[in-house]
């Protein structure tokens, strides 16, 4: 076995690889960017090396430097994880030339599957079932548009070198084609340095089912559990489960055998995934693509097979045969994975940035696993994927696994930035998910339910906040003096009058006034002409409080003027008033603001152009995803404040738009 490997990645996958490698007695070398100096994967590794600036191009994509560092430290192999260099055939070739083992397939296999169009040609020749479409070399707008007409709408435009939903657009009719074509080309060029596209018939409401395959260097190829990854937003997976529910045994077997056949067609070695679109109504499946790497969702396969797929990768790369034959593969129970993201589901899942000021996770067990690359205090930046963690639950049945997931999500608590935790809780609790009425349109179809805010009575939460502030004030005051002195007792005693402590709290941009009267060990808190009798005790971040005799335990995080309360698995945020001394703050009703931190990648109109409502104006990219800022009303563009390549902060004025309608 290798004695030392270098991990050419970051975040949760780097941590995941380190865990398995060190268990096998392998020393691990981490690499890191400027943004990741204090990252978890760096702390876990046996040694680490600095790569460069925060941007991936300056660090994790610097193949030449990574190889140089691998040779310098004596690493015998490089594990690329997923993303970055994992599907870069030039990097795999370079490793071979430097006599460093690339823990993955051959460069030839990566090349053959790295282009979706080339992959489809190979799979067609191998007799793998395909969807109608076009994946030829002709890439002119006229040719792609003509092939789209021939294929028929609705259809998908997909980057031939794509993955993760990038460079992909749904086109419902011819009027949408030009805009979708331009956006897909631009995103493909930005993400993959290749703007070639293919056309694929859009299958209405399919399921996304994939097969985990594994092959060794002696020619053995097997398939492990299948996975359903149908619950997606923007073509990116949100929930994955294994095995894929409600597939007939003969179809499941046929999919597995077809996946093995596809892998053998390119002499594949290592871990890979064959992805299919599955027509539930006719029990037919169609080849979509092959991922020549370990998938993000591999933990659900590990949970139901009891196998360590990273350990398999290391053993296969070292020349060992597969640990199991096809007949020895056993599937036990059911596993579900959700991806915890820094994003705002209510704003079309815009990526979020910020600091993980408060992070509490459920306790891991044989039923529950957390794969993460962050700890409390880490920053989620614009430079990398916004995934915070993967939460994986296993049990004997799917319904029991859902129950495990529901409990786990209730215990997952984050403050400091927007996350999709409440969205995931709603999703797991949705009856349609429980009964597996699932396809790739699930999120869009149930959006209203999934985006529904927790049914909370905000008044008691504000009362809890006022109680917390009062107890905190008493603790802070009394800690500075003699606790036996009557002058250090904050009981609000007055010679001739009863004293009340006022608090102003803001929740969802609405201001609330509360008054607290201390009555011995209790408080009377007034809000909206309601009086609450409150008795509380504060121990660190935990508030034990009774309101009118009803006992509650609340966890509270305070960051400056912002309070975040956690109760019954849901969070509630409120804010103390702050004074704004920034005299330079600009407000302009005719300006559009950046909805997130990011980089300007395209200006879609020119100054002095007239635009209609809904016309695209400027495109921002953050965390590998594009967001188009559209005109909220008809007008004339008078100025752009940023140009392509500029970094922008959330709330920055991007473009001045002079309305042609006086009402704006």
């Amino acid at each position: 076995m290798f004695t030392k490997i270098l991990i050419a990645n970051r975040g949760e996958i780097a941590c995941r690889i380190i865990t398995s490698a060190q268990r096998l007695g392998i020393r691990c070398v981490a690499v890191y960017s400027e943004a990741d100096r204090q990252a978890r994967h760096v702390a876990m590794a046996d040694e680490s090396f600095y790569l460069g600036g925060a941007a991936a191009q300056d660090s994790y994509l610097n193949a030449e430097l990574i190889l140089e560092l691998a040779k310098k430290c004596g690493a015998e192999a490089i594990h690329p994880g997923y993303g970055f260099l994992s599907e870069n055939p030039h990097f795999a070739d370079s490793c071979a030339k430097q006599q460093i083992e690339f823990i993955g397939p051959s460069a030839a296999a990566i090349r053959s599957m790295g282009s979706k169009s080339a992959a489809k040609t190979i799979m067609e020749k191998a007799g793998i079932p395909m969807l109608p479409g076009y994946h030829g070399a002709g890439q002119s707008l006229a040719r792609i548009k003509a092939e789209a007409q021939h294929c028929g709408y609705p259809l998908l435009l997909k980057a031939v070198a794509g993955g993760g939903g990038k460079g992909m657009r749904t086109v419902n009719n011819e009027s949408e084609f030009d805009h979708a074509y331009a956006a897909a080309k631009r995103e493909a060029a930005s993400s993959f340095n290749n703007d070639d596209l293919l056309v694929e018939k859009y299958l209405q409401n399919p399921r996304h089912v994939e097969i985990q395959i594994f092959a060794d260097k002696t020619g053995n190829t097997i398939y492990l559990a299948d996975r359903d990854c149908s619950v997606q937003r923007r073509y990116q997976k949100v929930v994955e489960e294994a095995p894929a529910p409600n597939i007939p045994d003969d179809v499941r077997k046929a999919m597995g055998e077809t996946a093995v056949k596809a892998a053998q067609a390119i002499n594949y070695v290592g871990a890979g995934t064959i992805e299919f679109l599955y027509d539930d109504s006719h029990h037919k499946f169609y080849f979509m693509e092959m991922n020549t790497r370990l998938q993000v969702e591999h933990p659900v396969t590990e949970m139901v097979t009891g196998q360590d797929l990273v350990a398999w990768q290391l053993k296969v790369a070292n020349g060992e045969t597969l640990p199991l034959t096809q007949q020895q593969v056993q599937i036990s129970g059911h596993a579900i994975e959700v991806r915890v993201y820094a994003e705002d589901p209510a704003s079309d899942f815009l990526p979020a940035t910020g600091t993980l000021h408060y992070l509490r996770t459920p306790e891991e067990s044989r039923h529950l696993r957390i794969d993460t690359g962050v700890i409390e205090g880490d920053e989620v930046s614009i430079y990398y994927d916004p995934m915070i963690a993967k939460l994986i639950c296993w049990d004997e049945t799917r319904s029991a696994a859902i129950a495990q997931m529901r409990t786990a999500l209730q215990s997952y608590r984050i403050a400091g930035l927007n996350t999709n935790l409440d969205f995931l809780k709603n999703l797991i609790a949705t009856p349609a998910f429980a009964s597996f009425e699932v396809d790739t349109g699930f999120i869009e179809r149930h959006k209203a339910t999934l985006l529904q805010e927790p049914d909370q009575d905000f008044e008691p939460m504000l009362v809890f906040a006022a109680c917390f502030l009062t107890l905190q004030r008493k603790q802070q005051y009394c800690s500075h003096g003699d606790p036996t002195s009557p002058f250090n007792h904050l009981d609000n005693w007055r010679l001739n009058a009863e004293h009340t402590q006022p608090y102003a709290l803001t929740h969802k941009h609405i201001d609330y006034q509360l008054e607290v009267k201390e009555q011995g060990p209790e408080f009377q808190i007034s809000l909206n002409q309601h009086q609450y009798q409150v008795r509380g005790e504060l121990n660190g971040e935990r508030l034990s409080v009774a309101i009118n005799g009803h006992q509650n335990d609340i966890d509270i995080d305070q960051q400056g003027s912002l309070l975040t309360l956690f109760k019954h698995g849901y969070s509630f945020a409120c804010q103390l008033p702050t004074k704004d001394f920034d005299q330079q703050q600009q407000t302009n009703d005719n300006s559009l603001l950046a909805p997130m931190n990011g980089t300007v990648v395209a200006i879609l109109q020119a100054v002095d152009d007239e635009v209609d409502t809904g016309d695209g104006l400027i495109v921002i990219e953050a965390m590998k995803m594009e967001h188009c800022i559209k005109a909220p009303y008809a007008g004339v563009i008078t100025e752009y404040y940023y140009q392509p390549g500029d970094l922008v902060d959330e709330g920055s004025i991007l473009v001045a738009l002079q309305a042609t309608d006086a009402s704006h």
Side-chain angles (χ1 to χ4, degrees), residues 15 28 103 168 193 215 228 232 288 300 317 354-356 375 378 402 414 430 524 564 636:
C15 297
C28 295
I103 302 175
M168 185 183 299
N193 200 30
D228 189 286
Q232 306 175 2
M288 183 167 56
V300 292
T355 302
L356 292 161
I375 59 174
D378 281 353
I402 289 174
I414 295 174
T430 301
Q524 184 186 83
T564 306
V636 176

Side-chain angles (χ1 to χ4, degrees), residues 463-480 488 490 501 503 505 516 518 523 525 536-544 556-565 576:
V463 171
F464 293 145
C467 179
F468 166 78
L469 292 168
T470 302
L471 292 172
Q472 182 189 63
R473 183 173 60 90
K474 289 170 67 73
Q475 285 184 355
Q476 291 172 345
Y477 189 88
C478 294
S479 66
H480 295 303
N488 286 328
L490 292 186
Q501 174 69 44
Y503 289 107
L505 293 172
V516 179
E518 294 192 48
F523 311 131
I525 300 180
E537 181 179 346
L538 183 60
N539 293 301
E541 64 189 30
R542 172 62 62 90
L543 174 67
S544 297
I556 300 180
D557 173 65
Q558 183 174 16
Q559 297 296 328
S561 62
L562 179 65
L563 299 179
T564 306
L565 288 70
L576 291 162

Side-chain angles (χ1 to χ4, degrees), residues 155-311:
L155 55 82
L156 285 174
L157 292 175
K158 300 170 73 170
V160 299
K166 301 171 188 67
M168 185 183 299
R169 292 294 186 275
T170 304
V171 189
N172 294 300
N173 51 61
E174 187 177 359
S175 66
E176 297 178 1
F177 184 89
D178 288 354
H179 177 73
Y181 174 86
K185 294 276 280 187
R186 184 174 57 250
E187 196 168 271
S190 172
S191 298
F192 314 111
N193 200 30
N194 182 347
D195 67 353
D196 286 355
L197 302 177
L198 62 83
V199 178
E200 185 176 271
K201 183 66 178 175
Y202 182 69
L203 193 62
Q204 297 283 2
N205 301 321
R207 285 172 58 185
H208 183 143
V209 179
E210 60 189 31
I211 309 292
Q212 175 73 60
I213 61 98
F214 234 104
D216 62 30
K217 295 179 179 180
T218 65
N220 298 311
T221 307
I222 66 172
Y223 66 91
L224 292 115
D226 44 74
R227 302 184 286 251
D228 189 286
C229 308
S230 301
V231 180
Q232 306 175 2
R233 89 285 187 271
R234 290 198 308 250
Y235 302 107
Q236 289 190 310
K237 301 161 189 173
V238 177
V239 180
E240 303 100 350
E241 47 187 311
N246 301 346
I247 294 181
D249 290 343
D250 60 330
V251 177
R252 195 185 302 276
K253 185 172 184 288
M255 292 177 79
E257 291 173 349
T258 300
V260 168
K261 185 179 177 181
Q264 290 172 335
I266 58 169
N267 300 315
Y268 195 78
V269 173
T273 301
I274 309 295
E275 302 197 354
F276 295 106
L277 286 176
Y278 179 60
D279 183 349
D280 217 349
S281 58
H282 298 95
H283 302 306
K284 291 185 177 181
F285 54 91
Y286 304 93
F287 175 81
M288 183 167 56
E289 64 184 10
M290 181 180 189
N291 286 299
T292 53
R293 53 172 169 78
L294 197 67
Q295 290 279 84
V296 176
E297 58 271 20
H298 76 273
V300 292
T301 300
E302 293 184 322
M303 295 289 267
V304 298
T305 61
Q307 303 300 315
D308 182 337
L309 298 189
V310 172

Side-chain angles (χ1 to χ4, degrees), residues 203-472:
L203 193 62
Q204 297 283 2
N205 301 321
R207 285 172 58 185
H208 183 143
V209 179
E210 60 189 31
I211 309 292
Q212 175 73 60
I213 61 98
F214 234 104
D216 62 30
K217 295 179 179 180
T218 65
N220 298 311
T221 307
I222 66 172
Y223 66 91
L224 292 115
D226 44 74
R227 302 184 286 251
D228 189 286
C229 308
S230 301
V231 180
Q232 306 175 2
R233 89 285 187 271
R234 290 198 308 250
Y235 302 107
Q236 289 190 310
K237 301 161 189 173
V238 177
V239 180
E240 303 100 350
E241 47 187 311
N246 301 346
I247 294 181
D249 290 343
D250 60 330
V251 177
R252 195 185 302 276
K253 185 172 184 288
M255 292 177 79
E257 291 173 349
T258 300
V260 168
K261 185 179 177 181
Q264 290 172 335
I266 58 169
N267 300 315
Y268 195 78
V269 173
T273 301
I274 309 295
E275 302 197 354
F276 295 106
L277 286 176
Y278 179 60
D279 183 349
D280 217 349
S281 58
H282 298 95
H283 302 306
K284 291 185 177 181
F285 54 91
Y286 304 93
F287 175 81
M288 183 167 56
E289 64 184 10
M290 181 180 189
N291 286 299
T292 53
R293 53 172 169 78
L294 197 67
Q295 290 279 84
V296 176
E297 58 271 20
H298 76 273
V300 292
T301 300
E302 293 184 322
M303 295 289 267
V304 298
T305 61
Q307 303 300 315
D308 182 337
L309 298 189
V310 172
W312 278 38
Q313 285 187 295
L314 294 166
K315 292 175 181 179
V316 164
N318 195 49
E320 298 180 32
T321 58
L322 294 178
L324 298 176
T325 65
Q326 190 65 67
Q327 292 70 31
Q328 291 173 321
V329 175
Q330 298 291 321
I331 307 300
S332 174
H334 196 89
I336 299 175
E337 172 181 297
V338 299
R339 304 188 190 188
V340 180
Y341 279 102
E343 64 184 10
D344 185 0
S347 298
D348 196 26
F349 300 97
L350 277 178
T353 58
T355 302
L356 292 161
H357 291 300
Y358 182 96
L359 176 62
R360 301 291 181 273
T361 61
E363 186 175 347
E364 295 191 70
S365 68
R366 75 183 187 95
H367 289 279
L368 190 152
R369 166 177 162 182
I370 301 171
D371 284 14
T372 186
V374 299
I375 59 174
E376 187 174 88
D378 281 353
E379 181 185 2
V380 178
S381 73
I382 67 170
Y383 297 105
Y384 314 116
D385 187 270
M387 188 168 67
I388 295 170
K390 301 180 305 195
L391 180 61
I392 310 103
C393 291
W394 175 92
D395 215 310
E396 296 289 346
T397 64
R398 183 174 186 269
S399 59
I402 289 174
Q404 293 281 356
M405 182 63 74
R406 187 181 299 118
T407 300
L409 285 169
Q410 295 290 330
S411 303
Y412 215 119
R413 298 170 180 176
I414 295 174
L417 73 176
N418 287 327
T419 74
N420 66 339
L421 278 172
D422 287 351
F423 173 84
L424 293 174
K425 292 167 193 171
N426 290 341
L427 193 158
I428 294 297
T430 301
F433 181 79
S435 59
F436 199 73
E437 299 168 28
V438 169
D439 54 48
T440 55
F442 181 87
I443 287 179
E444 189 63 32
R445 192 164 57 251
H446 296 279
K447 185 177 285 187
T449 299
L450 301 181
L451 296 178
Q452 191 171 15
E453 294 188 8
D455 184 17
Q456 291 180 327
D457 186 350
F458 71 91
E459 277 203 10
M461 301 303 288
L462 291 169
V463 171
F464 293 145
C467 179
F468 166 78
L469 292 168
T470 302
L471 292 172
Q472 182 189 63

